[in-house]
Amino acid sequence: MLIPHSSLFQAFTSLCLSSSQNHSSSSPMDFCCKSLRDSASPIDCLLFDLDDTLYHGKTGIAEACKRNIEDFLVQKCGLGETTASSCRVKLFKKYGSTLAGLRALGYNIDADDYHSFVHGRLPYQLIQPDSQLRSLLRSIALRKVIFTNSDRNHAIKVLDRLGLQDCFDEIICFETMNPNLPKSTRPDEFPVILKPSLDAMKIALDAANIDPSRTLFFDDNVRNIAAGKTLGLKTVLVGKTTKTKEADYVLETVHNLAQVIPEIRLNGKDGGDQRIKRTGSELDAILPTTPVGA
């Protein structure tokens, strides 16, 4: 069903056109976390983005998601097929997501309906189990948390497909950052909050009880990395070969994550702990250090 709103449609179109011109209580987990914080390791938590970070961006999921978003704009918001793609990009850049942009413009979009449309038809079978990453994550005796802008159902499906469903202690997702959205009576009552918003980052850190100074944050988006750095997280840009100024480390693939942590606690085969230690100079030799634009 179309969402009738001619004035909003005009505002929406104007945004796209102007943007185009300009563009020219105590628990086992608590005990575990305390033990790790009291250890000699400078890091006690690994905070991971999900899509395009834990699996390669060229699986086809991202492209399918974009097509579904554009179909939503056409079928639900009345946009023309020729403008849906450009408007999707403009909304993402300005608001952090298409859903956030639509609601900011006054479209009374239900988040569950949106996610069901956009993610419900994704070809999840394209994501293959990653036994190598599973073994690596399970060998690192640090708390591990997912931090994604996507809804919880999507996150669970992706982790299940990757075979990583039991590798993480917690999932911070769309619902975590936007708990009041279902209660809204109008689109502008509770703005959608997502990365790279600092408010979203703060909600995530508080919800997961994370100490930024002792946390490595992995993400493929440079804006998210910049926001994380602002809040004191140690940042790892994934899927790139050169660092931005806000990234402490850079990885072409998350499978090399052990190389960016100066001291990693691994579970030994005999049940004891083993550690891999690297000096700063060794890390410099491993990691590309050329900044973007240099």
Side-chain angles (χ1 to χ4, degrees):
M1 181 179 70
L2 286 176
I3 301 172
H5 208 313
S6 58
S7 61
L8 288 173
F9 178 81
Q10 293 173 356
F12 188 44
T13 305
S14 175
L15 168 66
C16 296
L17 292 175
S18 63
S19 180
S20 176
Q21 292 170 352
N22 292 337
H23 177 65
S24 169
S25 64
S26 230
S27 68
M29 182 183 294
D30 294 332
F31 178 80
C32 178
C33 293
K34 183 179 186 301
S35 297
L36 288 170
R37 289 192 182 99
D38 291 343
S39 72
S41 174
I43 299 297
D44 65 14
C45 182
L46 306 181
L47 184 64
F48 292 90
D49 175 47
L50 180 67
D51 298 299
D52 300 340
T53 295
L54 289 186
Y55 65 92
H56 202 287
K58 294 183 179 180
T59 57
I61 294 294
E63 291 305 316
C65 189
K66 292 175 184 177
R67 289 193 297 270
N68 290 348
I69 293 173
E70 290 164 15
D71 287 346
F72 185 93
L73 292 174
V74 172
Q75 298 178 30
K76 302 295 185 179
C77 302
L79 270 68
E81 293 184 2
T82 57
T83 59
S85 179
S86 60
C87 285
R88 171 185 59 76
V89 174
K90 305 304 185 298
L91 288 174
F92 176 78
K93 289 183 177 180
K94 183 175 178 64
Y95 297 100
S97 80
T98 302
L99 174 60
L102 287 173
R103 289 186 62 88
L105 289 173
Y107 283 82
N108 193 19
I109 307 292
D110 180 84
D112 289 339
D113 290 344
Y114 175 84
H115 289 135
S116 178
F117 190 104
V118 172
H119 293 153
R121 302 182 297 171
L122 288 177
Y124 287 105
Q125 69 275 10
L126 296 178
I127 301 176
Q128 299 300 311
D130 193 335
S131 58
Q132 179 185 354
L133 182 56
R134 175 180 173 80
S135 296
L136 178 59
L137 290 173
R138 289 177 64 83
S139 74
I140 300 176
L142 295 173
R143 185 173 175 228
K144 293 172 279 289
V145 177
I146 291 291
F147 180 23
T148 176
N149 280 344
S150 297
D151 61 292
R152 183 172 295 275
N153 285 337
H154 172 74
I156 291 173
K157 287 179 181 179
V158 171
L159 292 175
D160 282 346
R161 289 296 307 174
L162 288 168
L164 306 178
Q165 63 271 28
D166 58 348
C167 291
F168 295 91
D169 301 282
E170 192 170 353
I171 297 175
I172 303 298
C173 57
F174 180 90
E175 290 87 348
T176 312
M177 294 177 279
N178 299 276
N180 294 318
L181 208 59
K183 307 174 187 175
S184 65
T185 57
R186 61 181 192 277
D188 62 346
E189 185 175 2
F190 297 109
V192 173
I193 299 176
L194 299 168
K195 294 182 292 183
S197 161
L198 292 182
D199 287 337
M201 303 291 291
K202 291 175 182 177
I203 289 173
L205 298 182
D206 289 342
N209 191 27
I210 288 173
D211 179 353
S213 68
R214 304 192 67 177
T215 300
L216 272 170
F217 174 44
F218 299 80
D219 204 298
D220 65 291
N221 186 292
V222 295
R223 295 171 64 196
N224 296 344
I225 288 295
K229 190 63 177 178
T230 298
L231 293 181
L233 289 161
K234 299 180 189 302
T235 54
V236 185
L237 182 61
V238 180
K240 307 295 189 295
T241 57
T242 55
K243 293 195 300 182
T244 60
K245 64 180 181 180
E246 296 89 358
D248 294 306
Y249 306 102
V250 63
L251 289 175
E252 286 191 71
T253 171
V254 72
H255 295 83
N256 298 332
L257 68 88
Q259 297 177 355
V260 307
I261 307 176
E263 185 179 69
I264 307 170
R265 186 181 296 246
L266 299 175
N267 292 330
K269 293 181 179 180
D270 59 355
D273 287 340
Q274 298 177 348
R275 292 187 178 188
I276 298 176
K277 297 184 179 180
R278 294 187 175 89
T279 65
S281 60
E282 288 173 326
L283 284 172
D284 291 338
I286 292 172
L287 301 166
T289 56
T290 306
V292 173

